């Protein structure tokens, strides 16, 4: 894998790229008739494209928020289109009216944009909805019936299920299977016209009830749902099944490569069956889209099941869909993940034909690799302890300075005061130092980073015996950046802030949400694997000038990458989230 802080490698080649390259080389889409069909997206868009381009699509269902797994699909589909001069459509697969909502549509659009992808190509916005094609889908259904490829079944959903058979036993033909096409069409029209209640009948494809592929045992194409759709309102009370709708959407939009996750592999025969029949019926034209499956992204220490994520939100285990511990795009963004880091993870994990687990640390490393070269540095004291420089005059201050970035002098320098009273980290002082401890303890000398060498002279305890103040004397000739700086050699170098000018801040130390790599397969309910210390909120101090504007990222020297919280931070009252530590410290 890539070593930290090296520039990202060129996108690794993968089997999908190989397929696209072979298809382009073979001129497979050179004949593509982009003008489309009545009502098709390309016609609606009114802009036939250069015929030799690939088209992909990202087709989320607007029934929830996007997560890191979706980002993988987004990066693949938009990435292929970008790299091969094609187009990627954003299509809302809105065929399930009861579960879908406009707020999810809005959130999906925002998330894809934020990730850095754009569906505008050649002057056209390639933004579509499955519901744009409901009329076509309905007409195609009638045509399939008349050609003997579909029938209306008046059995209940339970009966249909019971007669499907099993993996080892063939199914049983429905008693309605061979009814005359005219009768099926009449029933379908009644279904469409609202004459029948939900579940009383369904349109099914007529394929093979004995097929070893269960998906070919006369799958349901349309069901009755008296539900209001967020876009088509009450126009329809029958809705196409995803398996029927999806191939048609792809074909109407002129998609060349329909890329989906492996669990759809068994659907591919139906995908081809449907499109080939619609082409024979003159409703679609060749070349038809092809479905290609890749392994979904499985990241350890997170879950991506919508149902489980909803449970985390509803039961208050997290503060919402945008909780910084959530694997949603909203959560990752609030946590401080950048679109570039997410893209980098997706590129590094490539596309594969077999399922595997990706370690969560790869996501963190992608973030470090993205932010290390660009995040300005600042000092924070997370667990403050007072350090008094007893030989430094009261009321006096002087300015110290440091580069904003150790390798980018063009980013300039920052300045901050040094004075008599400072904040240091509690962990930088020990009354009785353990072996190998080089920081402050009575009699020892350390360098205050960017400042002076100081020698510890004493400390003060409160009644409970807790050290509340450390005292030291500074060595006036040892200021960093002056000729005398190296005159005294010390082993320890600690961060500090000038107490009167340090900016108080709330700091949220986030960690992994689960203690198990695969919380869904640990044997217990996934809730049992919630990490009890996935967040710790503390009051610390920041270097003056640290910008608390929501969304601003820094490297807090020695602690890691932090971002000003998008909801709660302001320049006057900064709140910072730890995005990730500087190194992988997970135990
Ligand atoms: P649902 O159970 O609601 O279908 P879903 O996660 O499949 O959930 P969709 O909105 O259908 O949600 O997903 C949109 C696209 O994102 C699909 O093409 C799907 O294959 C892809 N996708 C979802 N999860 C992952 C994942 N973990 N890795 C890669 N692609 C994913
Ligand atoms: Mg899905």
């Amino acid at each position: 894998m890539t070593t930290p802080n090296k520039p990202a490698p060129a996108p690794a080649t993968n089997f999908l790229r190989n397929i696209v390259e072979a298809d382009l080389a073979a001129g497979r889409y050179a004949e593509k008739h982009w003008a489309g069909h009545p009502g098709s997206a390309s016609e609606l868009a009114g802009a036939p494209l250069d015929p030799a381009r690939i088209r992909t699509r990202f087709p989320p269902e607007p029934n929830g928020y996007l997560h890191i797994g979706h980002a993988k699909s987004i990066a693949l589909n938009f990435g292929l289109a970008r790299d091969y001069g094609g187009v990627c459509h954003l299509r809302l697969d809105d065929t399930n009216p009861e579960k879908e909502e406009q707020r999810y549509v809005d959130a999906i659009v925002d998330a894809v944009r934020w990730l850095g992808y754009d569906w505008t190509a050649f002057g056209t916005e390639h933004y579509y909805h499955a519901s744009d094609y409901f009329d076509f889908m309905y007409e195609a259904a009638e045509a399939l019936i008349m050609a003997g490829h579909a029938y209306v079944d008046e059995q209940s959903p339970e009966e249909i299920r019971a007669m499907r058979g099993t993996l080892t036993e063939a199914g049983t033909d429905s008693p309605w299977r061979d009814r005359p096409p005219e009768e099926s069409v009449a029933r379908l029209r009644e279904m469409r016209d609202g004459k029948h209640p939900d579940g009383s009948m369904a349109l099914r494809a007529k394929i093979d009830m004995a097929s070893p592929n269960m998906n070919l045992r006369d799958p349901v194409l349309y069901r009755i749902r008296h539900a209001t759709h967020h876009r088509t309102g009450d126009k329809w009370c029958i809705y196409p099944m995803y398996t029927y709708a999806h191939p048609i959407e792809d074909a109407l939009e002129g998609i060349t490569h329909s890329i989906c996750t492996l669990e759809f592999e068994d659907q591919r025969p139906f995908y081809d069956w449907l499109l080939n029949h619609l082409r024979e019926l003159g409703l679609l034209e060749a070349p038809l889209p092809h479905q290609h499956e890749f392994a979904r992204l499985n990241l350890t220490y997170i879950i991506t099941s919508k149902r489980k994520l909803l449970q985390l939100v509803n039961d208050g285990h997290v503060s919402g869909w945008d909780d910084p511990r959530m694997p949603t795009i909203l959560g990752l963004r609030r946590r401080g993940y950048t679109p570039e880091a997410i893209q980098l993870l997706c590129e590094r994990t490539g596309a594969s034909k077999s399922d595997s687990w990706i370690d969560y640390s790869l996501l963190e490393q992608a973030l470090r690799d993205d932010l290390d070269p660009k995040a300005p540095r600042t000092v924070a004291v997370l667990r403050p302890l007072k350090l008094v420089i007893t030989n430094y005059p009261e009321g006096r201050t002087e300015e110290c300075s440091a580069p904003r970035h150790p390798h980018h002098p063009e980013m300039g320098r920052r300045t901050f005061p040094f004075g008599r009273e400072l904040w240091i980290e509690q962990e930088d002082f020990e009354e009785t130092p353990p072996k190998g401890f080089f920081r402050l303890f009575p009699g020892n000398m350390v360098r205050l980073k960017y400042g002076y060498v100081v020698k510890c002279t004493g400390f003060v305890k409160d009644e409970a015996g807790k050290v509340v103040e450390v005292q030291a004397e500074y060595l006036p000739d040892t200021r960093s950046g002056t000729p005398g700086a190296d005159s005294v050699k010390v082993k320890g170098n600690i961060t500090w802030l000038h107490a009167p000018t340090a900016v108080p801040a709330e700091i949220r130390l986030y960690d992994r949400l689960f203690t198990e790599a695969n919380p869904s397969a640990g044997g217990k309910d996934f809730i049992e694997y919630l990490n009890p210390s996935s967040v710790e909120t503390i009051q610390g101090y920041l270097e003056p000038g640290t910008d608390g504007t929501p969304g601003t990222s820094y490297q807090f020297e020695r602690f890691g990458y932090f971002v000003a919280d998008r909801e709660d931070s302001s320049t006057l009252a900064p709140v910072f989230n730890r995005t990730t530590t500087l190194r992988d410290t997970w135990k």
Side-chain angles (χ1 to χ4, degrees):
M1 199 85 279
T2 328
T3 44
N5 309 338
K6 291 266 167 60
T13 189
N14 62 50
F15 80 96
L16 290 171
R17 291 175 174 274
N18 295 342
I19 289 171
V20 167
E21 282 171 21
D23 286 345
L24 286 173
R28 189 158 186 174
Y29 299 106
E31 311 275 298
K32 188 89 195 172
H33 187 333
W34 294 105
H37 308 280
S40 80
S42 44
E43 191 196 63
L44 295 176
L49 293 176
D50 177 337
R53 290 180 192 280
I54 63 155
R55 281 213 223 192
T56 55
R57 83 287 170 271
F58 172 64
E61 187 181 346
N63 65 352
Y65 294 96
L66 298 185
H67 53 63
I68 183 82
H70 296 117
K72 174 80 193 190
S73 176
I74 293 168
L76 264 179
N77 281 296
F78 281 92
L80 283 172
R82 174 199 61 210
D83 295 346
Y84 294 97
V87 183
C88 181
H89 295 188
L90 176 61
R91 180 202 307 146
L92 281 305
D93 217 320
D94 52 353
T95 53
N96 249 326
E98 292 131 312
K99 292 191 181 151
E100 297 158 3
E101 291 178 36
Q102 187 59 39
R103 67 182 167 122
Y104 295 131
V105 173
D106 298 340
I108 288 169
V109 166
D110 286 348
V112 179
R113 278 223 175 90
W114 179 77
L115 281 168
Y117 298 101
D118 184 10
W119 43 90
T120 302
F122 311 104
T124 304
E125 238 199 289
H126 291 281
Y127 173 68
Y128 306 109
H129 293 84
S131 53
D132 293 339
Y133 319 124
F134 281 172
D135 287 321
F136 180 94
M137 290 172 189
Y138 179 81
E139 280 159 34
E142 286 202 1
L144 285 169
I145 294 173
M146 292 313 292
H149 299 312
Y151 60 98
V152 169
D153 192 338
E154 297 186 31
Q155 299 183 104
S156 67
E158 295 73 35
E159 287 166 319
I160 292 179
R161 210 172 302 127
M163 288 172 71
R164 259 183 104 209
T166 64
L167 285 175
T168 50
E169 277 170 66
T172 312
D173 284 0
S174 162
W176 304 98
R177 198 172 197 262
D178 292 316
R179 71 195 311 182
E182 293 73 17
E183 209 179 289
S184 277
V185 167
R187 286 292 164 281
L188 183 64
R189 290 183 184 171
E190 288 168 16
M191 282 166 62
R192 177 197 62 190
D193 296 340
K195 302 260 162 50
H196 300 285
D198 288 7
S200 58
M201 46 184 81
L203 179 72
R204 297 177 74 181
K206 195 185 211 175
I207 310 178
D208 178 6
M209 287 305 291
S211 172
N213 183 338
M214 300 286 283
N215 298 301
L216 294 180
R217 294 187 186 173
D218 292 9
V220 172
L221 309 183
Y222 262 99
R223 77 276 199 223
I224 306 174
R225 278 285 177 282
H226 289 271
T228 303
H229 187 282
H230 71 98
R231 287 187 80 237
T232 58
D234 292 322
K235 177 174 176 194
W236 296 93
C237 62
I238 56 171
Y239 290 94
M241 300 299 287
Y242 174 84
T243 41
Y244 175 70
H246 197 83
I248 295 179
E249 295 155 23
D250 284 347
L252 289 180
E253 291 178 15
I255 299 304
T256 57
H257 299 79
S258 177
I259 295 162
C260 61
T261 40
L262 281 176
E263 66 268 25
F264 292 99
E265 198 167 0
D266 289 347
Q267 289 287 356
R268 181 159 23 99
F270 177 74
Y271 186 103
D272 293 338
W273 178 94
L274 178 64
L275 294 187
N276 283 323
H277 279 308
L278 294 179
R279 192 195 52 196
E280 281 162 19
L281 291 168
L283 291 169
L284 297 175
E285 285 172 29
L288 295 169
H290 272 269
Q291 177 180 306
H292 305 275
E293 308 87 18
F294 72 101
R296 61 193 299 112
L297 174 69
N298 294 315
L299 261 193
T300 57
Y301 297 98
I302 64 161
I303 50 167
T304 52
S305 150
K306 278 178 194 163
R307 183 181 57 80
K308 290 177 181 167
L309 293 175
L310 185 68
Q311 189 182 337
L312 290 177
V313 173
N314 285 348
D315 295 353
H317 297 295
V318 294
S319 64
W321 289 100
D322 68 343
D323 184 295
R325 293 163 294 177
M326 287 286 270
T328 50
I329 303 299
L330 286 174
L332 289 164
R333 173 176 164 202
R334 190 165 169 195
R335 175 76 170 263
Y337 276 89
T338 58
E340 293 83 359
I342 297 172
Q343 287 176 22
L344 201 53
L345 175 81
C346 294
E347 258 169 37
R348 287 176 178 176
T349 52
S352 127
K353 267 280 184 196
S354 55
D355 270 315
S356 65
W357 283 85
I358 301 294
D359 199 86
Y360 186 80
S361 60
L362 256 72
L363 175 64
E364 298 178 308
Q365 192 54 45
L367 182 83
R368 294 183 194 112
D369 290 350
D370 178 48
L371 283 187
D372 180 55
K374 59 190 189 197
R377 273 45 172 175
T378 196
V379 168
V381 172
L382 302 187
R383 298 177 202 272
L385 173 62
K386 186 65 70 70
L387 173 68
V388 178
I389 312 296
T390 51
N391 62 341
Y392 197 85
E394 255 171 84
R396 189 168 118 191
T397 60
E398 61 190 285
E399 203 166 69
C400 294
S401 89
R404 287 215 169 82
H405 192 290
H407 311 301
H408 291 287
E410 74 282 3
M411 285 171 73
R413 295 184 72 80
R414 50 199 234 253
T415 58
F416 39 88
F418 176 83
R420 183 180 161 92
E421 294 208 357
L422 310 176
W423 291 120
I424 60 167
E425 292 293 334
Q426 289 166 18
E427 65 177 19
D428 287 346
F429 173 78
E430 291 282 352
E431 184 180 345
T432 325
K435 201 166 173 290
F437 185 84
F438 299 119
R439 289 167 276 168
L440 281 174
F441 54 88
N444 195 41
M445 289 195 290
V446 296
R447 171 165 297 283
L448 300 176
K449 198 172 179 188
Y450 312 123
Y452 291 95
V453 171
V454 297
K455 178 175 186 173
C456 183
T457 53
F459 56 90
V460 179
K461 282 183 172 175
D462 65 8
E463 283 158 16
K466 184 173 177 250
V467 177
V468 289
E469 182 182 308
V470 177
Q471 291 149 355
E473 290 180 356
Y474 83 118
L475 280 58
D477 293 337
T478 61
R479 204 181 128 144
S480 291
T482 62
D486 290 330
S487 59
V488 183
K489 294 272 182 254
V490 292
K491 284 190 173 168
N493 191 342
I494 67 174
T495 48
W496 55 274
L497 289 171
H498 177 232
T501 57
V503 179
E506 178 174 318
I507 295 169
R508 299 170 182 171
L509 300 174
Y510 289 107
D511 207 332
R512 299 180 186 192
L513 188 52
F514 293 99
T515 52
E516 271 293 304
N518 182 355
S520 299
K524 293 190 239 165
D525 182 10
F526 77 104
I527 294 292
E528 308 252 337
Y529 298 117
L530 279 168
N531 178 0
S533 34
S534 58
V535 61
E536 183 188 359
T537 301
I538 56 177
Q539 300 295 324
Y541 291 99
L542 304 176
E543 186 182 306
T546 306
D547 182 3
T549 304
T552 313
S553 282
Y554 283 97
Q555 185 192 105
F556 285 3
E557 294 192 23
R558 92 191 241 188
F559 291 118
Y561 295 95
F562 289 71
V563 67
D565 189 73
R566 287 181 183 271
E567 292 299 317
D568 303 330
S569 185
S570 69
T571 42
L572 291 178
V575 177
F576 273 84
N577 300 332
R578 179 168 69 196
T579 315
T580 183
T581 50
L582 282 183
R583 272 170 296 280
D584 190 3
T585 52
W586 179 254
K587 292 171 277 304

